[in-house]
Amino acid sequence: MDEARLRSLTPNVLAVLVRRGADFAAAEDAVQEALVEAVRVWPTAPPRDPKGWLITVAWRKFLDETRADTARRRREDLVDQEPAPGPAASRDDTLQLYFLCAHPSLTPSSAVALTLRAVGGLTTRQIARAYLVPEATMAQRISRAKRTVSGVRFDQPGDVATVLRVLYLVFNEGYSGDIDLAAEAIRLTRQLAAAIDHPEVSGLLALMLLHHARRATRTAPDGSLVPLAEQDRGRWDTASIAEGVAILQVALARDRLGEFQAQAAIAALHADAPTAEETDWVQIVEWYDELLRLTDSPVVRLNRAVAVGQADGPRAGLAALAELDGTLPRHTAVAAYLHERDGDLATAARLYAEAAHKASSLAERDHLTRQAARLNARGRG
């Protein structure tokens, strides 16, 4: 059994059922039943046309269910529409499924879960393990999401930006359990890029590849965080970096700049620097200015303050930081870093300890605590 191949067929099979008139929720259930049947049958009797086999079995599962419904007489008409077995059509409706799963009526968490289930082909158990929640909780979340989009017309135009935000949320979840969500997000974004010609889709794919290339160096063997400047660049995935840069260059050449392209350009400049000291911080600040023009995001302003501190000195960075809301996540940690670079170790140590108490993850808290301890030890020495 080629599980990746089976999962890649899922969105097209689901789309065929919906296009034939099946309700989305019922169609998705029927496809999942067909996948279970495939896992049971294919190892000993692999079909010549896997997609056609899945469509036929899923459609029959759907019809079996509809026959038991109280509206039997109306839905029995669907039986007459069942096509004869044969090669499946090559039409790819993956894009419409992305739009449906990222419908604006869904919460971000529901959109992510539904995308992983309907487009990614993951089971509810796999998604629950990845998000470290009980399977029953995830099943309820997916069921609510399916009910929400069941009445949505399949041919309505969708918002690419919403789809990209959902995929980026998947990517940022990283890895938990037996499903690598970062790799899954890259796979899904590649799939989207094949279905739609859009520079921001390319920008997101480039951004994911460039970030993912550094993954192996982001944590030490004991699980502690390794800052970018201290990472072993010799262990970065140069093939992913080269692919990401090539995809980004093609997207930028179209002169339709978007936020993911700008973020990818910043990531590419980090990836291109042989050492941390050789990073082109001046150009990174310029890209943050472009990103601010596109988003006006407080988080972008915070990251820009770090870049300014590198390009123009820590006091310039602190001046940029002073213009921002002190309650922003990571604001205190950034202030600690800039004060340390400015030589004010006592203030930096205090701010590192304060930032540790505000940290959103155990790894980040431990890292900031170690930074505070390091500076306090230097002060005593």
Side-chain angles (χ1 to χ4, degrees):
M1 281 292 297
D2 184 346
E3 184 180 343
R5 169 67 174 153
L6 189 62
R7 283 166 50 196
S8 71
L9 294 171
T10 299
N12 278 323
V13 176
L14 176 56
V16 168
L17 266 65
V18 174
R19 196 167 65 246
R20 289 181 182 175
D23 171 86
F24 178 84
E28 206 277 333
D29 288 340
V31 171
Q32 291 296 322
E33 289 187 38
L35 292 173
V36 171
E37 188 73 4
V39 171
R40 186 181 69 82
V41 172
W42 287 11
T44 55
R48 270 191 260 181
D49 179 13
K51 179 181 171 183
W53 188 97
L54 285 171
I55 290 171
T56 299
V57 173
W59 184 247
R60 287 174 179 166
K61 296 281 188 186
F62 167 71
L63 292 177
D64 288 343
E65 184 63 28
T66 58
R67 289 190 185 101
D69 195 271
T70 55
R72 175 188 303 273
R73 195 162 44 182
R74 181 177 62 83
R75 297 187 178 184
E76 281 291 332
D77 293 339
L78 293 170
V79 176
D80 299 330
Q81 301 173 19
E82 182 177 355
S90 61
R91 175 171 171 173
D92 188 348
D93 290 304
T94 303
L95 182 58
Q96 281 84 352
L97 278 182
Y98 274 103
F99 290 141
L100 195 63
C101 293
H103 194 269
S105 62
L106 295 173
T107 64
S109 61
S110 294
V112 166
L114 192 58
T115 298
L116 289 172
R117 168 88 178 224
V119 184
L122 300 183
T123 66
T124 302
R125 177 175 296 180
Q126 287 174 319
I127 301 170
R129 285 179 177 173
Y131 281 89
L132 302 177
V133 299
E135 185 176 350
T137 300
M138 185 57 68
Q140 290 175 352
R141 185 181 301 173
I142 292 172
S143 294
R144 285 195 298 268
K146 290 197 296 185
R147 286 196 299 270
T148 299
V149 301
S150 285
V152 178
R153 288 180 58 194
F154 192 61
D155 59 352
Q156 287 180 338
D159 179 14
V160 175
T162 302
V163 174
L164 295 180
R165 281 195 292 273
V166 169
L167 288 172
Y168 197 40
L169 284 172
V170 176
F171 180 80
N172 285 332
E173 287 297 331
Y175 174 83
S176 307
D178 58 352
I179 294 296
D180 185 338
L181 288 178
E184 181 65 15
I186 291 172
R187 184 184 75 84
L188 292 175
T189 307
R190 285 190 192 279
Q191 196 177 70
L192 182 62
I196 182 172
D197 182 20
H198 195 293
E200 271 294 82
V201 177
S202 298
L204 178 58
L205 179 56
L207 177 63
M208 288 178 176
L209 289 167
L210 290 163
H211 280 327
H212 204 55
R214 305 198 302 263
R215 174 173 170 171
T217 64
R218 283 183 175 149
T219 56
D222 63 359
S224 59
L225 295 178
V226 179
L228 176 61
E230 299 173 20
Q231 290 174 13
D232 180 358
R233 296 177 183 230
R235 294 176 57 212
W236 286 359
D237 183 346
T238 55
S240 291
I241 291 173
E243 183 186 4
V245 169
I247 292 171
L248 175 62
Q249 288 174 338
V250 172
L252 291 175
R254 300 179 64 177
D255 199 24
R256 289 170 54 194
L257 185 65
E259 60 178 294
F260 288 117
Q261 294 170 72
Q263 287 187 57
I266 294 168
L269 287 168
H270 283 299
D272 187 54
T275 66
E277 292 72 25
E278 296 173 86
T279 303
D280 189 346
W281 286 105
V282 172
Q283 194 173 167
I284 287 176
V285 172
E286 292 173 355
W287 275 111
Y288 272 122
D289 289 338
E290 290 288 344
L291 195 52
L292 274 177
R293 181 179 61 80
L294 292 165
T295 67
D296 195 28
S297 162
V299 175
V300 172
R301 292 186 182 278
L302 185 68
N303 291 331
R304 180 185 178 276
V306 176
V308 168
Q310 295 286 357
D312 301 328
R315 294 194 179 183
L318 286 167
L321 188 66
E323 299 174 3
L324 306 181
D325 185 349
T327 63
L328 275 172
R330 293 185 55 249
H331 185 284
T332 307
V334 169
Y337 171 74
L338 291 171
H339 276 290
E340 180 183 357
R341 289 198 66 235
D342 195 38
D344 187 352
L345 303 188
T347 299
R350 176 178 58 79
L351 290 173
Y352 275 130
E354 184 180 331
H357 287 291
K358 301 177 181 178
S360 58
S361 71
L362 180 61
E364 184 182 5
R365 188 191 70 190
D366 289 347
H367 171 71
L368 293 168
T369 300
R370 281 194 294 272
Q371 297 295 85
R374 173 178 58 81
L375 294 186
N376 283 328
R378 283 177 60 182
R380 288 193 298 270

